[in-house]
Amino acid sequence: MQWETVIGLEVHAQLATKSKIFSGAATAYGAAPNTQACAIDLGLPGVLPVLNTEAVRMAVKFGLSVDAHITPRSVFARKNYFYPDLPKGYQISQYELPIVSEGYLDIDLEDGTRKRIHIERAHLEEDAGKSLHEDFQGLSGIDLNRAGTPLIEIVSKPDLRSAKEAVAYLKALHALVRYLEICDGNLQEGSFRCDANVSVRPVGQKELGTRAEIKNLNSFRFVERAINYEVERQIDLIESGGKIKQETRLYDSDKNETRAMRSKEEANDYRYFPDPDLCPVVVAPEYIEQIKHELPELPQQKRERFQNDYQLSSYDAGILVSSRELANYFEQVVKLSEAPAKLVANWINGELAAALNKHNLEITESPIAVERLAGLLKRIHDNTISGKIAKTIFETLWNSNHTADEIIEQQGLRQVTDTSAIEKMLDEVIAANPQQLADYRSGKDKLFGFFVGQAMKASGGKLNPQQVNDLLKQKLAG
Amino acid sequence: MYNLTIAEIAAGLRAKKFSSEEITHVFLTRIKQYDARLNSFITVTEEAALVAAREADQHYANGTAGLLTGVPMAQKDIFCTTGVKTSCASHMLDNFIAPYDATVVTRFKQAGMVMLGKTNMDEFAMGSSNENSYYGSVKNPWDLTRVPGGSSGGSAAAVAARLTPMATGTDTGGSIRQPAALCNLTGIKPTYGRVSRYGMIAFASSLDQGGPLNRTAEDAALMLNVMAGFDEKDSTSVDRPVPDYSATLNNSLAGLKIGLPKEYFVKELDPQVAAAIDAAVKEYEKLGATIHSISLPNVHLSIPAYYVIAPAECSSNLARYDGVRFGYRCENPKDLEDLYKRSRGEGFGAEVKRRIMIGAYVLSAGYYDAYYLKAQQIRSLIKNDFLEAFKQVDVILGPTTLSPAFKLGEKADDPVSMYLNDIFTIAANLAGIPGMSIPAGFVDNLPIGMQLMGNYFEEARLLNVAHQYQKVTDWHLKIPGGF
């Protein structure tokens, strides 16, 4: 039987507010345990939550960027359950009336097609603290620094059909929240987390299969692996006569498998009801208009502009817009170098990306700032150096503070474009290789490359390749 | 000196007839002398009170004293006080010392008033008799075999016995007005949102409201001037100017329209209480008011709606008492679940547990619509009843309770009969309107209360109506024998 995979994602993005969603405590990551938890975060008797309006602004910003409906009057509700890292015994969330509903995000698939993924809702809520099970001799430690950090939970419709689509959607969402500057997107620190609802059904069947919810997915790679594992597990189970249970499963990245959580851990009736300590969140139309004007150019718009204005391929544009910082870097290099955009894109997506990747750096941490890369590409474009020489200069740029021009001067790397000088060198090469010349002239065309190589080697790669080609052709022809 | 009102003490201090230290000492001595009989205080802060009193005297000496500087008072043990135990009369919080003051506490401190201690109450403000306290029942000073009412029973008993000239209370379903009625006091529950709930330990957040328990309406006005006002730390507090409640006390009642809801004069009402209310109505007629019969057709649904909404909110509000971060923790828990179950099982009293269970039940999947949502619909109907009524009349008048104080233990095993105690008071909490109870006479030597309810934010009018009655009657001046 042919099976179809159906996936919906629930993404938790921590909002980049300075203080918590219902208290004045700081949200910075990495502070000593329990140093960023005030009386409100600790759930002490008598304290009350007060909504941080910055969190609302960010949620509205997100909603507008996915063309969603902004609820004029959304309501905070209490989700009741006991856990040591949940100080009040309930999480303040939104339930029946989330602030954002009915939006969508378009994603570009590998085959070049575009797919619309619908977003059912996005709601505001507070994060819980953390339970630390190591280093306490059999006891658990509780760190409430994270308790009360604002989150938006973004829930997609079950529109995704493969692990690859899920990752594409997740990456698009990740880029979006960073563009909007509402989330730092740090997966390792848990600022951007994902749960996946996965089911399978026979191709052509309309009803959805029973789904499993996979938790604990904190990297794009794990999302892909966990979904693929889970799909296979479900198909195997059904094909061997079993039945899928609706359950919560944990992904174990060490073993690359998902396994069911104990039923006790999930058998919760959350007893949601509107939080009587908080008034409904009223968002006025004028406020929405104001935020609309504050929206930056979004990844999808930028990608289209890059394709149109710079004549870039969809692939190149897609990579460059994956972060706002990278896209800005690209545009500044184009402007400063006055080199063709395609050349700039190749260098950024090629040499620079490889080097950054190798050293595990973000574009913002690149040792080669915009001006220095632009200086290099400018010299390629005006034929001062060849692309090949440029690659060696790039390495020097990476490891030093010099400009490309300084390196070219210091190391004498300027390209030789003087015809007579090139001719002189070609004549020497031809004279030194009479046998190869004879072979070439008797029809071994492939030896052309041999002569180019010899000339380049003799000149230390500094000859202009195009001129070498043209002149060599004439000379070899005799 | 112990029989002076707040207004009189403030005047005496200003006139330097006595010092704050002297008057504070008077009340501290009376607490020592009489409270063994009443059990109205959980904590007496003698040293801190005397320090504060001396500071107040310094202010008088320096000419920097305010209107109420140096006047003694007591806080219900539901308001958090920095450095002083705040127990909510629960074993659960017997060891809890808050690192912050409730906004109400801050306001009294800013007014320069001197806290004598923290008063007894029903555990987490759940009860109508003050028999649900971890620290034992409070006795009614008018008859030590009877209850003082609840949940602010300690505050009421202490004020009635002249152990303090005033005490704060909180009112979720009648917890200021019912003990005021049973102890011959003037108590006002302000409009929901008028007094900050920050630092006031929550029972049912959408119903809880703090207010003063006093002997006179004049004092109640002074105290509400201190307590009322917007607080940015409480999202449900209302940002709206606070009038000077003392300024309008002497307005004439000529032309005032008083409504008597027929639903408040039921056959279960003690005929002697009914007669006392009738007599009060006649006084108002003499003062120039006109009397109108009105109907609040949905008010009979108050108790069922309340006993869904209040437990629902309490079941969630009290979830934080889990033995993990503060409060009572059971001995040697074997695992997390055991820690939760035993800490909560041992730390809470029976009534609190009953309400948590009711609340968890009405919110659970499959029951939410039938109970919680339905109760909220009833709440809207009741609110509309009042809005309609206030189109016809200025204030609504009726009995505060069906009968005077009952015997200790009399209703302890019958929660439904106990819940009926708040039959007349709950509607004001559900609607969020202000309500007050003032002394209206005696039945078999036990005081009874008359309830006045007003439209939203019309506390000033209620205090005016109460004060005018107190000018022509002397019920509120009576002192319980033996104190």
Side-chain angles (χ1 to χ4, degrees):
Chain A
M1 191 182 290
Q2 288 279 41
W3 295 94
E4 182 180 46
T5 302
V6 178
I7 305 158
L9 295 186
E10 293 170 14
V11 172
H12 288 87
Q14 280 186 356
L15 296 175
T17 54
K18 289 198 177 66
S19 59
K20 294 190 176 175
I21 184 165
F22 299 118
S23 85
T27 53
Y29 180 83
N34 298 311
T35 56
Q36 289 185 166
C38 69
I40 292 166
D41 307 319
L42 293 172
L44 292 186
V47 299
L48 294 169
V50 176
L51 179 61
N52 180 346
T53 52
E54 189 60 15
V56 174
R57 197 182 65 84
M58 289 182 174
V60 170
K61 222 170 152 183
F62 172 77
L64 293 174
S65 75
V66 293
D67 233 345
H69 171 67
I70 307 298
T71 312
R73 199 170 172 279
S74 64
V75 171
F76 281 105
R78 294 184 182 178
K79 179 181 182 178
N80 295 283
Y81 64 97
F82 285 98
Y83 205 69
D85 60 22
L86 188 72
K88 298 187 294 297
Y90 58 85
Q91 178 194 26
I92 305 177
S93 181
Q94 294 188 312
Y95 186 54
E96 283 182 334
L97 291 167
I99 187 158
V100 170
S101 62
E102 301 297 330
Y104 62 83
L105 188 61
D106 288 337
I107 60 170
D108 290 286
L109 304 177
E110 277 177 353
D111 63 3
T113 58
R114 182 164 287 185
K115 181 168 177 177
R116 178 156 292 187
I117 308 302
H118 294 88
I119 291 171
E120 192 172 297
R121 57 185 282 158
H123 62 255
L124 282 165
E125 62 184 22
E126 58 178 342
D127 211 340
K130 273 184 194 161
S131 297
L132 309 163
H133 300 297
E134 287 151 22
D135 309 331
F136 293 97
Q137 286 95 36
L139 301 174
S140 291
I142 308 292
D143 178 5
L144 295 175
N145 283 352
R146 198 179 69 176
T149 298
L151 295 174
I152 38 168
E153 180 176 334
I154 303 157
V155 182
S156 84
K157 291 220 163 118
D159 287 352
L160 301 157
R161 290 291 172 271
S162 70
K164 280 207 161 23
E165 283 186 18
V167 171
Y169 165 75
L170 204 56
K171 284 187 170 166
L173 205 57
H174 185 254
L176 180 61
V177 295
R178 295 184 63 197
Y179 264 67
L180 295 170
E181 293 177 319
I182 60 172
C183 173
D184 69 17
N186 192 320
L187 282 89
Q188 278 84 44
E189 292 176 4
S191 311
F192 189 85
R193 320 195 285 269
C194 169
D195 300 335
N197 286 300
V198 178
S199 65
V200 296
R201 63 182 170 192
V203 169
Q205 179 182 304
K206 268 202 153 171
E207 307 86 82
L208 292 170
T210 305
R211 68 170 197 271
E213 183 182 1
I214 315 173
K215 289 202 176 285
N216 201 25
L217 302 171
N218 58 5
S219 84
F220 295 124
R221 197 154 30 112
F222 291 166
V223 169
E224 185 165 353
R225 285 192 191 168
I227 291 172
N228 283 333
Y229 174 88
E230 179 61 19
V231 167
E232 240 177 83
R233 184 190 73 86
Q234 292 190 8
I235 293 172
D236 286 351
L237 185 61
I238 299 170
E239 287 187 340
S240 60
K243 250 186 115 177
I244 306 296
K245 264 204 318 199
Q246 183 165 340
E247 63 187 356
T248 306
R249 300 177 71 85
L250 271 180
Y251 177 65
D252 181 334
S253 57
D254 294 332
K255 295 183 182 155
N256 186 35
E257 62 175 28
T258 67
R259 58 170 181 269
M261 288 172 83
R262 285 183 298 134
S263 58
K264 240 183 181 174
E265 291 175 80
E266 55 162 339
N268 267 318
D269 174 356
Y270 291 120
R271 293 174 279 120
Y272 280 101
F273 74 105
D275 191 330
D277 286 333
L278 290 160
C279 304
V281 183
V282 177
V283 181
E286 307 81 60
Y287 182 76
I288 293 176
E289 277 311 305
Q290 184 200 326
I291 291 180
K292 250 183 210 164
H293 291 297
E294 290 170 11
L295 283 184
E297 184 183 35
L298 300 176
Q300 200 63 255
Q301 299 163 339
K302 204 180 274 279
R303 181 177 190 160
E304 279 162 22
R305 180 166 65 82
F306 278 18
Q307 284 181 249
N308 293 333
D309 293 6
Y310 297 115
Q311 299 296 308
L312 295 180
S313 69
S314 159
Y315 175 79
D316 277 338
I319 296 177
L320 290 172
V321 304
S322 65
S323 89
R324 194 155 137 180
E325 293 79 12
L326 185 61
N328 288 345
Y329 187 97
F330 163 77
E331 290 203 279
Q332 287 174 43
V333 173
V334 170
K335 200 172 158 203
L336 286 176
S337 67
E338 293 167 351
K342 175 66 187 162
L343 177 73
V344 177
N346 286 347
W347 272 84
I348 292 176
N349 292 344
E351 294 294 312
L352 183 64
L356 290 172
N357 205 23
K358 189 176 152 196
H359 294 92
N360 203 15
L361 296 173
E362 295 290 319
I363 185 68
T364 47
E365 302 163 315
S366 170
I368 305 180
V370 167
E371 295 74 17
R372 293 204 299 142
L373 186 68
L376 176 67
L377 301 189
K378 194 178 188 118
R379 293 299 162 238
I380 298 174
H381 180 54
D382 68 10
N383 279 329
T384 305
I385 52 170
S386 67
K388 195 160 180 192
I389 291 287
K391 287 185 183 175
T392 62
I393 297 175
F394 179 86
E395 275 181 41
T396 316
L397 283 176
W398 184 273
N399 294 312
S400 75
N401 291 321
H402 296 296
T403 64
D405 283 348
E406 284 164 4
I407 296 163
I408 291 165
E409 286 314 313
Q410 280 162 17
Q411 302 186 11
L413 297 174
R414 188 175 290 275
Q415 183 163 254
V416 179
T417 50
D418 172 31
T419 308
S420 61
I422 296 173
E423 275 186 299
K424 189 170 166 254
M425 200 160 283
L426 290 179
D427 288 342
E428 283 169 25
V429 167
I430 290 167
N433 295 286
Q435 186 59 47
Q436 281 80 358
L437 179 64
D439 289 352
Y440 178 82
R441 286 189 173 155
S442 64
K444 281 197 177 172
D445 290 352
K446 276 185 184 163
L447 282 168
F448 185 77
F450 166 78
F451 287 104
V452 172
Q454 291 297 309
M456 283 302 190
K457 197 174 162 188
S459 69
K462 288 189 285 186
L463 301 184
N464 177 290
Q466 193 56 52
Q467 285 173 291
V468 168
N469 266 329
D470 296 346
L471 291 169
L472 192 61
K473 247 176 214 158
Q474 292 168 20
K475 287 189 185 290
L476 289 177
Chain B
M1 261 160 83
Y2 63 82
N3 200 31
L4 299 175
T5 63
I6 298 266
E8 289 161 352
I9 293 170
L13 288 168
R14 260 195 310 284
K16 302 212 160 62
K17 284 188 189 158
F18 44 81
S19 68
S20 173
E21 190 174 351
E22 283 169 298
I23 189 82
T24 300
H25 190 72
V26 166
F27 287 108
L28 288 170
T29 307
R30 284 184 63 80
I31 293 169
K32 277 187 204 152
Q33 195 178 350
Y34 294 108
D35 203 41
R37 287 188 221 165
L38 297 175
N39 195 29
S40 67
F41 278 85
I42 290 173
T43 304
V44 179
T45 51
E46 179 169 357
E47 277 181 37
L50 290 171
V51 168
R54 283 179 212 122
E55 262 177 49
D57 288 331
Q58 203 56 52
H59 280 298
Y60 280 103
N62 299 342
T64 49
L67 183 66
L68 297 163
T69 302
V71 178
M73 56 84 62
Q75 293 285 4
K76 183 176 181 178
D77 207 20
I78 197 169
F79 290 99
C80 288
T81 43
T82 311
V84 176
K85 178 170 88 173
T86 301
S87 72
C88 244
S90 180
H91 189 189
M92 187 59 89
L93 291 179
D94 184 41
N95 61 1
F96 179 68
I97 296 176
Y100 44 83
D101 281 334
T103 298
V104 160
V105 172
T106 304
R107 285 174 164 270
F108 277 109
K109 280 187 181 171
Q110 283 167 349
M113 289 181 68
V114 173
M115 185 178 87
L116 300 167
K118 314 274 306 269
T119 57
N120 205 344
M121 54 185 281
D122 280 301
E123 182 179 6
F124 283 102
M126 297 176 202
S128 308
S129 68
N130 220 312
E131 292 168 293
N132 303 329
S133 168
Y134 174 63
Y135 302 96
S137 303
V138 178
K139 317 292 187 296
N140 191 321
W142 292 92
D143 177 346
L144 297 176
T145 68
R146 290 179 190 268
V147 303
S151 67
S152 311
S155 291
V159 177
R162 275 60 174 171
L163 307 189
T164 173
M166 78 79 65
T168 55
T170 59
D171 190 315
T172 305
S175 284
I176 287 174
R177 291 161 289 160
Q178 184 253 16
L182 271 40
C183 291
N184 203 41
L185 298 178
T186 299
I188 181 163
K189 178 206 92 72
T191 307
Y192 183 79
R194 182 77 288 188
V195 170
S196 169
R197 294 187 297 115
Y198 184 82
M200 184 179 106
I201 296 178
F203 158 19
S205 310
S206 74
L207 301 160
D208 295 343
Q209 186 61 201
L213 278 145
N214 289 93
R215 302 211 307 274
T216 67
E218 189 186 12
D219 278 4
L222 286 170
M223 293 301 92
L224 203 55
N225 280 340
V226 174
M227 295 176 81
F230 174 65
D231 179 10
E232 59 182 20
K233 289 191 267 187
D234 174 3
S235 308
T236 61
S237 94
V238 179
D239 191 0
R240 178 186 166 116
V242 180
D244 177 356
Y245 295 113
S246 300
T248 46
L249 288 174
N250 285 309
N251 285 3
S252 159
L253 299 191
L256 179 83
K257 286 183 267 183
I258 295 177
L260 306 180
K262 63 177 201 280
E263 292 79 6
Y264 276 53
F265 296 88
V266 289
K267 64 177 191 309
E268 292 83 3
L269 182 64
D270 184 324
Q272 289 178 278
V273 174
I277 300 298
D278 281 345
V281 168
K282 297 223 160 57
E283 289 295 335
Y284 275 117
E285 280 182 310
K286 281 190 225 160
L287 290 167
T290 59
I291 309 301
H292 308 261
S293 179
I294 59 163
S295 176
L296 301 167
N298 296 292
V299 83
H300 67 284
L301 299 170
S302 296
I303 287 197
Y306 176 85
Y307 277 99
V308 169
I309 294 168
E313 293 182 7
C314 111
S315 72
S316 177
N317 282 334
L318 271 59
R320 65 189 61 197
Y321 308 107
D322 57 6
V324 175
R325 296 166 314 285
F326 54 82
Y328 178 78
R329 178 186 287 189
C330 66
E331 297 281 339
N332 302 316
K334 65 174 195 286
D335 56 23
L336 180 62
E337 196 171 310
D338 189 43
L339 168 77
Y340 283 154
K341 284 187 172 167
R342 285 202 289 122
S343 296
R344 290 169 65 78
E346 295 162 16
F348 288 135
E351 182 60 27
V352 170
K353 282 187 274 195
R354 180 173 11 249
R355 296 199 196 187
I356 289 173
M357 284 188 284
I358 294 170
Y361 177 81
V362 299
L363 289 175
S364 57
Y367 297 99
Y368 180 85
D369 289 4
Y371 289 103
Y372 187 79
L373 266 193
K374 187 69 80 184
Q376 291 293 2
Q377 287 162 355
I378 292 173
R379 192 171 182 175
S380 299
L381 293 176
I382 290 170
K383 191 175 166 178
N384 281 336
D385 281 0
F386 281 109
L387 288 173
E388 284 304 313
F390 287 120
K391 286 180 188 164
Q392 305 161 45
V393 297
D394 302 312
V395 295
I396 295 172
L397 187 155
T400 307
T401 59
L402 287 164
S403 54
F406 50 92
K407 293 268 189 187
L408 285 154
E410 186 182 327
K411 299 184 180 184
D413 298 325
D414 185 356
V416 173
S417 156
M418 186 73 89
Y419 295 170
L420 284 172
N421 254 286
D422 295 331
I423 191 162
F424 296 139
T425 47
I426 279 174
N429 299 83
L430 289 171
I433 59 168
M436 76 186 289
S437 180
I438 59 174
F442 287 81
V443 169
D444 302 331
N445 298 316
L446 293 170
I448 57 147
M450 164 168 68
Q451 185 176 215
L452 299 167
M453 289 182 284
N455 211 338
Y456 296 94
F457 297 100
E458 296 218 337
E459 289 82 2
R461 193 198 293 270
L462 292 184
L463 290 162
N464 165 222
V465 172
H467 182 64
Q468 291 307 305
Y469 179 75
Q470 291 182 343
K471 275 169 69 176
V472 296
T473 56
D474 62 358
W475 308 118
H476 61 291
L477 301 178
K478 305 261 188 259
I479 306 178
F483 294 92

